[in-house]
Amino acid sequence: MLQDPEHGPGPWPAEPTGTVLGLSTEFQGARQWLRMYLVRFDLPQYDTDGDGPYSSSEVAHIYLERLD
């Protein structure tokens, strides 16, 4: 996962790896349509606010990067 350079280190500051489990939903964001995917993290993660640890989360497609 990638950090958002326009909004600090969010949404997942550690830029974790994980497995996409499937498409969750789509919605119109402030600038574009966002596809939200359910991602299971390889290791539990804390979000930008320090909440967690989370084992999975919905993540917008703009923050996902495929690793081969």
Side-chain angles (χ1 to χ4, degrees):
M1 271 171 246
L2 305 171
Q3 292 184 8
D4 185 343
E6 294 182 23
H7 297 96
W12 300 99
E15 293 190 317
T17 57
T19 302
V20 173
L21 302 177
L23 180 64
S24 179
T25 188
E26 293 182 299
F27 69 94
Q28 177 68 44
R31 296 182 223 140
Q32 63 183 313
W33 277 93
L34 297 174
R35 290 181 304 280
M36 301 297 290
Y37 290 89
L38 181 59
V39 176
R40 182 181 63 228
F41 300 126
D42 292 336
L43 296 171
Q45 296 296 310
Y46 290 88
D47 65 15
T48 308
D49 295 327
D51 296 330
Y54 296 101
S55 59
S56 63
S57 179
E58 287 185 322
V59 179
H61 75 280
I62 60 174
Y63 299 120
L64 297 176
E65 179 179 56
R66 183 183 176 112
L67 300 177
D68 291 318

